[in-house]
Amino acid sequence: MRAVLMVAEKPSLAQSIARILSRGNMTSRKGLNGACSVHEYGGSFAGQSAHFKMTSVCGHVMTLDFIGKYNNWDKVDPAELFSKAPTEKKEANPKLTMVKFLQVEGRGCDYIVLWLDCDKEGENICFEVLDAVLPVMNKPRGSERTVYRAKFSSITDTDICNAMNNLGEPNRNEALSVDARQELDLRIGCAFTRFQTKYFQGKYGNLDSSLISFGPCQTPTLGFCVERHDKIQSFKPETYWVLQAKVNHEKESSLTLEWDRVRVFDREIAQMFLNITKIAKEAKVESVSKKEKVKQRPLALNTVEMLRVASSALGMGPQHTMQIAERLYTQGYISYPRTETTHYPENFDLKGALRQQANNPYWAETVKALLSEGINRPRKGHDAGDHPPITPMRAASEAELGGDGWRLYEYIARHFIATVSTDCKYLQTTISFSIGPEHFTCIGKMVTSPGFTEIMPWHSIPLEESLPSCERGDIYPISEIKLLEKQTNPPDYLTEAELITLMEKHGIGTDASIPVHINNICQRNYVTVESGRRLKPTNLGIVLVHGYYKIDAELVLPTIRSAVEKQLNLISLGKANYHQVLEHTLDIFKRKFHYFVDSIAGMDELMEVSFSPLADTGKPLSRCGKCHRFMKYIQAKPSRLHCSHCDETYSLPQNGTIKLYKELRCPLDDFELVLWSSGSRGKSYPLCPYCYNHPPFRDMKKGMGCNECTHPTCQHSLSMLGIGQCVECENGVLVLDPTSGPKWKMACNKCNVVVHFFENAHKVRVSPETCEVCDAALVDVDFNKAKSPLPGDETQHSGCVFCDPVFQDLVELKHAAMRHPMHRGGQGKRQGRGRGKGRRLGGRPNPKKPKDKMAALAAYFV
C-alpha cells in the first residue's frame, strides 16, 4: 500500500476536503504542533491502493528575513541592505514548528498532493512545503512522478473531486515571482524605513508613529490620498449662475425645466439671459422624443469590485472584508475570493449555483422565475486566467452567518443572481422647450422591464414625476423663471472604494495585497478613516509625501511600482529572468536611496514646520544618571525618554503606561527607575532606562527590564524576585511584582502568563530558600489579621506557591490552563512541579537549565 500526504493551506480547508474525498469515512487526530489536524482514510491513487493523510499549514511556512546581525538597526548601514546583506528563509511562526510537523507526517510517504490556494502565493507555499517534506519522503521508483498539484476554485463535492481526478504540477515561475516580490519589498522597504525612522524620531517628539515606514506599494497608495488632499486645499470656489424655469401643465402641478446652457460664470451675462426670457410669458414645445434605453446588468464579481462595494455600501474595510470572504470560502459558502476574472467559463454550472438560492426567503421568487423562464448568459467580461468570478456555492441564512458575514454573503448572492438576470429597460422621454431665444429641456424615465434591479434595488431607476403628453407646438404658461446663484464645490477626500479603483488602474498591488497596503497606511497613522470610510491624511502622511515629491517624485508616483509589477508578472509567465529582474530593480532603488539620503534636508525642512523638536516635547518624569537633570517622557508613539542636556534618547516598552518608580535608582548607572504597566490585571515591571537600551551583562539583550536583569544583589532584579520557571514557555521565569499589593501577582518575564495570589496579604517577599520538591523560591507572606486564610488565626506563612497545601486555593493562573495535583487531591510532594536547577543567582532558579520539562509539566496542563 502506498502512502499519500495531502496538504491544504488552512486546517478548516483540510478537514472539508478530506471529508469530501473520504465521503466522511475518515479518522482525525491532532498534529504535534497542536494547530493542525491530520485526517486519514483509505482509497486508491495512481491505480494502487493507498493510505491518505490530509493535513494543512497555516499560511506561509517560511518568511524572508536578513540574517541575524543585519537586523540590528544601530550597527548596520541601511545602504548595505540592497545587496550586501544576505537573506535567509526562517519559519514564519516558530511556535508552530511547522517544518518539523510536516516532516513527521511526510516521513515514509510515497506521494504528495498539494491543495494550497490556487494563486501565486499558494504556488509559493507549495514549494515551501516541498522543501520541508521531499527530503524525508520515500525515494521515487525510477522516473515515477511523486509531486502533484490540485487546482480548485470552491469547496464543493464536484470541484474537489474534479481537482483530485485532474491533478497537475506546481508552477515554479509563479512561486519565483512571489520570491522576487518578497525580496524587493524587504530590501527596499527596510532600507528606507530604517533610515527615515532613525533620522526623524531622533529629531522630533510628536510624530505619533512608532515606525516611519516606506513601502514600494504602500507609499504610492498614500500618495493618492495626499494628492486628493492637496486638491482640496488648493481649491478655490467659483460663483456661477443657473437659469431655472417652471411651467404649469396641470391645474396644480408644475414642471421644472433645465437650461440647455447649464451655467454661466458671468453675472451680467446671466442677468441678460434672465431679462430676455422674462419677456416671454409662455414656453413652446420644440420637440418630443421617446427612446428605449437599457441599463446593463453588472459584470460577474471579482475581488476588487467586492472590496469597493463592501467599503462604499456595507461600510466594511478592505482587510476586514477579505477576512470574512476567506472564512465564507473555507466554510464552502462562496468560491475562491481572490480573482481578477469577471467572465464565467463556458462549462461553469450557472444553473446549479442558482438552484442553491431557490429557497432563500429574500430572493426565492426571483430565482424560481429565472429557473423556469431560462437564465441569461452573463455579460462577457475579462478572463485573467486565474479563478472564476466570486459565486455563492451553497445556500446560507442570516442565522448561520450572522453580522458582517451575512451582509457580505447577501451582496455576493444578489450580485450573482443579477448577472444571470435580464437588463433593466426603461423609456426615456425628452421634451425640448423654447422660452424666447433660450432653450430648456425636461427628461422623464419610465421603467418598462425592471430586470436585474429587482434583485439589486439600489440600482433601480429613480421614480420621477410623470411628464405631460404633448406634441411639438404645444404652449405652456410660465409659472416662474429665476436666476440661481451657486458655487463650485471642492472634491471630497478619497473613499476606500475610490482608492481601490486608483490602485487597480495604476497597477499598485494585487487583488490580494490591496487591502494590506490600505491597512498599513492606517496603522502607521498616515491616514485616518473618517465617516463614509473616507481617508484623510494626517500631518505626518502629508509631510512624507510632499518630502518624497521634493526629493524624488518617483518614490511616491505609481509609475515605477507599476513597471515593477509588470516585470514580476513576466517572471510568473516565464518570460523574464528572476535574477535579472531582482538585480535591475534593486540597482535602481539603491541609486534612489543614496540620492534620498543626500537630500534628506529637503524633507527635514517640511518636518520642522509641522513637528516639535525632542527637547520641546513631553513632560519631565525621571532623572538622568549622567547629568542628574530631569528627562522628558514623550508619550506619542514610540514612547521614549529624552535628556535635552545630554542630547540622549532612551527607548521604552510600548503599549502600556510609564510612571516614576518610587524615585529609586539603578545601582549600576544611577538612572531613576520607571515602572511599565499593561493594566491592573496585566503585567508590570520596573526598568532602568539606560540598562534597557545598553544591556549591562552579557546574558542580557536590549529591551530587557529589571524582571530579566541578572544583577546578583539588586533588589529589583530577576535574581531577587524570580520565583520559578514559567508553566507555558520554555525560557520564562515567573517574577514577583512588588508593586501589585494588595492584589499580589507574579508574571512571566517572557510570555503573557500572570499568576494572581494572596489577595489582601499585607506583605509578600521572595525568600532566599527554595522548595525541596520543585526548586522554586519559597515565598514569605504576611496576611492581615482580619482577612487571614491561615488556620488558627495565624498571619504569617512561608512556603512554595506551587507545592504548599496551605497556598493551594490562593493561586489563580491567567492566560494558561493550570491544574495542580493538590487541587485534584494528589500527594503534593511526590507530584510537585519541576523547576530549573543549576547555577543560582542570589538563590534563584536559572531558567536556562531546566529539569526534564515534560516530566515537570506533566502535572500542569489539562
Side-chain angles (χ1 to χ4, degrees):
M1 181 178 285
R2 312 304 293 277
V4 183
L5 177 68
M6 304 201 293
V7 183
E9 193 156 319
K10 293 185 180 72
S12 55
L13 270 179
Q15 184 179 14
S16 300
I17 294 168
R19 188 181 290 120
I20 291 169
L21 294 176
S22 68
R23 296 182 174 85
N25 188 24
M26 64 182 186
T27 59
S28 300
R29 58 181 169 85
K30 274 285 182 188
L32 67 84
N33 65 1
C36 304
S37 296
V38 183
H39 313 282
E40 300 181 75
Y41 63 95
S44 63
F45 188 82
Q48 307 168 74
S49 61
H51 176 75
F52 291 90
K53 284 201 287 187
M54 180 62 160
T55 188
S56 74
V57 291
C58 296
H60 274 284
V61 179
M62 310 299 287
T63 186
L64 190 71
D65 200 0
F66 297 111
I67 63 169
K69 72 174 187 177
Y70 286 94
N71 283 317
N72 189 322
W73 285 37
D74 298 322
K75 295 181 180 178
V76 177
D77 180 356
E80 293 181 23
L81 303 181
F82 283 97
S83 52
K84 187 177 176 182
T87 58
E88 62 179 345
K89 290 268 190 177
K90 299 177 181 177
E91 284 206 48
N93 190 339
K95 289 183 180 178
L96 291 178
T97 59
M98 193 61 73
V99 171
K100 183 180 177 182
F101 164 68
L102 290 171
Q103 289 177 341
V104 167
E105 298 303 334
R107 184 168 280 108
C109 288
D110 301 289
Y111 305 102
I112 181 167
V113 182
L114 299 157
W115 289 85
L116 286 308
D117 286 353
C118 298
D119 56 12
K120 290 172 186 173
E121 295 290 335
E123 296 302 320
N124 190 261
I125 300 172
C126 280
F127 287 93
E128 293 175 355
V129 171
L130 292 176
D131 288 342
V133 172
L134 286 180
V136 300
M137 286 175 58
N138 293 337
K139 300 296 179 188
R141 300 173 182 177
S143 59
E144 182 184 36
R145 180 180 161 199
T146 58
V147 177
Y148 294 86
R149 175 74 162 109
K151 295 280 186 178
F152 58 102
S153 295
S154 62
I155 314 301
T156 60
D157 292 15
T158 305
D159 214 9
I160 296 301
C161 292
N162 283 342
M164 191 66 184
N165 294 329
N166 296 281
L167 296 173
E169 295 182 7
N171 188 320
R172 170 70 71 175
N173 290 327
E174 289 192 357
L176 281 174
S177 73
V178 174
D179 283 338
R181 178 182 281 108
Q182 287 177 349
E183 186 161 351
L184 288 174
D185 289 351
L186 176 72
R187 291 185 182 277
I188 297 166
C190 284
F192 278 91
T193 297
R194 289 187 191 184
F195 172 73
Q196 60 189 29
T197 299
K198 287 187 70 178
Y199 187 90
F200 292 121
Q201 284 187 352
K203 293 190 71 173
Y204 303 102
N206 57 341
L207 297 175
D208 202 24
S209 181
S210 54
L211 206 64
I212 314 299
S213 65
F214 174 93
C217 285
Q218 171 196 301
T219 305
T221 302
L222 174 61
F224 291 129
C225 300
V226 176
E227 183 183 12
R228 176 61 66 89
H229 167 83
D230 291 343
K231 286 181 180 176
I232 294 169
Q233 295 301 306
S234 61
F235 183 83
K236 292 180 179 177
E238 286 187 84
T239 305
Y240 64 90
W241 289 266
V242 174
L243 205 56
Q244 187 185 79
K246 289 184 180 180
V247 297
N248 293 326
H249 70 95
E250 287 179 1
K251 286 183 180 179
E252 296 181 0
S253 181
S254 64
L255 204 62
T256 302
L257 311 183
E258 300 295 329
W259 192 23
D260 284 7
R261 294 183 190 274
V262 184
R263 61 186 179 180
V264 293
F265 288 87
D266 188 308
R267 181 178 176 80
E268 290 184 3
I269 293 175
Q271 188 64 47
M272 177 194 73
F273 284 124
L274 177 65
N275 295 338
I276 291 171
T277 51
K278 270 194 168 180
I279 296 170
K281 301 297 181 188
E282 295 174 330
K284 181 182 178 184
V285 176
E286 296 292 334
S287 66
V288 179
S289 66
K290 294 189 178 184
K291 200 172 188 180
E292 190 174 83
K293 294 209 167 187
V294 172
K295 186 173 186 176
Q296 284 191 313
R297 60 193 185 278
L299 286 167
L301 186 65
N302 67 2
T303 307
V304 170
E305 181 63 17
M306 178 184 71
L307 295 176
R308 270 197 290 254
V309 173
S311 176
S312 60
L314 305 180
M316 290 159 51
Q319 190 147 37
H320 179 55
T321 301
M322 282 310 300
Q323 288 168 352
I324 293 170
E326 284 172 10
R327 192 184 79 221
L328 293 174
Y329 162 67
T330 56
Q331 292 173 342
Y333 289 107
I334 64 171
S335 63
Y336 192 60
R338 290 196 181 106
T339 178
E340 297 174 16
T341 295
T342 57
H343 177 73
Y344 282 105
E346 295 298 322
N347 61 351
F348 192 92
D349 186 9
L350 293 166
K351 280 190 176 179
L354 192 61
R355 284 191 198 99
Q356 292 286 332
Q357 305 299 323
N359 295 318
N360 189 293
Y362 293 107
W363 48 75
E365 287 185 17
T366 303
V367 170
K368 286 173 182 174
L370 281 170
L371 288 170
S372 63
E373 296 167 11
I375 65 171
N376 287 275
R377 187 77 200 161
R379 289 169 57 196
K380 188 174 177 62
H382 168 65
D383 185 0
D386 48 1
H387 288 272
I390 302 167
T391 308
M393 300 310 294
R394 69 183 173 102
S397 67
E398 191 169 359
E400 276 178 78
L401 303 180
D404 289 343
W406 165 253
R407 292 168 66 222
L408 185 61
Y409 175 86
E410 181 186 14
Y411 170 71
I412 292 169
R414 286 182 181 275
H415 191 109
F416 167 69
I417 297 166
T419 61
V420 294
S421 299
T422 57
D423 293 336
C424 171
K425 295 178 182 177
Y426 61 94
L427 189 67
Q428 180 170 297
T429 303
T430 305
I431 306 175
S432 293
F433 290 87
S434 63
I435 301 177
E438 288 305 294
H439 293 271
F440 295 78
T441 303
C442 187
I443 296 174
K445 296 172 185 174
M446 187 175 70
V447 175
T448 56
S449 173
F452 79 94
T453 60
E454 282 187 326
I455 196 71
M456 298 177 89
W458 57 91
H459 282 304
S460 59
I461 304 298
L463 291 171
E464 297 177 350
E465 57 181 319
S466 57
L467 296 185
S469 296
C470 58
E471 295 178 357
R472 183 180 178 183
D474 285 355
I475 302 293
Y476 290 90
I478 297 171
S479 60
E480 182 185 33
I481 189 159
K482 61 182 178 180
L483 204 58
L484 301 178
E485 183 178 310
K486 296 185 178 184
Q487 279 196 326
T488 54
N489 294 316
D492 212 333
Y493 284 103
L494 284 178
T495 62
E496 282 174 333
E498 291 167 337
L499 180 57
I500 291 165
T501 302
L502 286 169
M503 292 174 74
E504 182 191 33
K505 177 183 175 182
H506 293 281
I508 300 299
T510 63
D511 52 3
S513 65
I514 282 173
V516 177
H517 302 315
I518 295 175
N519 187 60
N520 281 344
I521 63 173
C522 296
Q523 294 292 318
R524 299 283 185 261
N525 194 34
Y526 294 162
V527 300
T528 56
V529 182
E530 306 291 312
S531 62
R533 300 208 67 84
R534 294 190 178 275
L535 301 171
K536 184 178 181 180
T538 61
N539 264 354
L540 180 57
I542 294 164
V543 171
L544 280 175
V545 169
H546 289 174
Y548 294 134
Y549 271 116
K550 193 172 183 180
I551 296 171
D552 181 357
E554 284 191 337
L555 291 174
V556 73
L557 289 172
T559 47
I560 193 165
R561 182 61 193 195
S562 181
V564 172
E565 289 286 352
K566 287 175 184 174
Q567 291 297 311
L568 294 174
N569 196 45
L570 289 175
I571 292 175
S572 71
L573 297 172
K575 295 179 180 179
N577 181 277
Y578 163 80
H579 295 288
Q580 289 178 352
V581 170
L582 209 58
E583 187 179 339
H584 176 68
T585 307
L586 286 173
D587 182 59
I588 291 172
F589 275 96
K590 185 178 181 180
R591 293 167 188 267
K592 288 183 174 294
F593 176 77
H594 283 297
Y595 183 74
F596 180 74
V597 170
D598 293 341
S599 310
I600 193 66
M603 185 182 280
D604 198 23
E605 289 172 1
L606 301 176
M607 286 281 186
E608 284 178 348
V609 176
S610 299
F611 301 103
S612 305
L614 279 171
D616 299 339
T617 313
K619 296 179 181 179
L621 179 70
S622 66
R623 291 186 185 272
C624 170
K626 295 178 181 179
C627 66
H628 300 292
R629 290 178 170 86
F630 275 104
M631 297 188 292
K632 285 188 173 181
Y633 172 48
I634 299 165
Q635 201 165 357
K637 290 182 182 178
S639 58
R640 52 211 192 275
L641 285 167
H642 178 72
C643 177
S644 55
H645 185 264
C646 302
D647 196 22
E648 292 280 354
T649 304
Y650 300 97
S651 300
L652 294 171
Q654 303 298 305
N655 303 318
T657 58
I658 293 281
K659 61 182 180 182
L660 189 63
Y661 185 52
K662 305 176 184 176
E663 297 186 1
L664 297 170
R665 294 177 182 268
C666 175
L668 294 173
D669 49 48
D670 211 30
F671 274 71
E672 280 189 333
L673 303 183
V674 294
L675 183 75
W676 176 88
S677 174
S678 64
S680 59
R681 298 294 287 176
K683 291 168 63 171
S684 60
Y685 57 85
L687 63 107
C688 163
Y690 189 84
C691 295
Y692 188 82
N693 290 269
H694 305 93
F697 303 114
R698 286 183 180 178
D699 55 355
M700 290 180 66
K701 295 179 181 177
K702 187 176 180 179
M704 287 184 169
C706 296
N707 62 343
E708 294 183 81
C709 177
T710 52
H711 192 294
T713 59
C714 175
Q715 62 176 323
H716 317 294
S717 70
L718 167 67
S719 307
M720 300 302 284
L721 297 176
I723 293 177
Q725 186 178 344
C726 179
V727 300
E728 272 201 0
C729 64
E730 287 288 335
N731 300 318
V733 175
L734 293 168
V735 182
L736 175 68
D737 180 355
T739 68
S740 57
K743 296 184 177 181
W744 298 93
K745 61 190 174 187
M746 58 181 175
C748 176
N749 59 7
K750 296 289 185 187
C751 70
N752 63 350
V753 167
V754 179
V755 179
H756 295 266
F757 54 10
F758 314 131
E759 189 165 347
N760 296 317
H762 175 63
K763 196 176 286 184
V764 177
R765 293 178 299 275
V766 180
S767 166
E769 303 298 321
T770 57
C771 176
E772 294 177 5
V773 176
C774 70
D775 204 36
L778 300 184
V779 179
D780 300 328
V781 186
D782 290 354
F783 290 99
N784 291 321
K785 191 168 184 179
K787 297 183 179 180
S788 175
L790 300 177
D793 293 330
E794 292 184 22
T795 59
Q796 294 183 341
H797 186 77
S798 180
C800 175
V801 295
F802 306 111
C803 303
D804 193 319
V806 176
F807 287 158
Q808 68 178 35
D809 292 325
L810 307 178
V811 179
E812 177 192 1
L813 183 62
K814 295 290 183 183
H815 309 305
M818 181 184 87
R819 294 291 184 275
H820 193 278
M822 298 298 293
H823 293 230
R824 297 197 295 265
Q827 298 301 310
K829 287 213 170 191
R830 285 207 332 241
Q831 300 178 22
R833 291 178 191 171
R835 279 294 172 273
K837 283 188 176 179
R839 181 175 68 86
R840 304 280 173 78
L841 296 169
R844 300 296 168 260
N846 180 358
K848 301 292 184 184
K849 297 183 180 179
K851 284 182 178 179
D852 179 0
K853 181 95 173 189
M854 297 305 292
L857 297 186
Y860 249 80
F861 294 97
V862 174

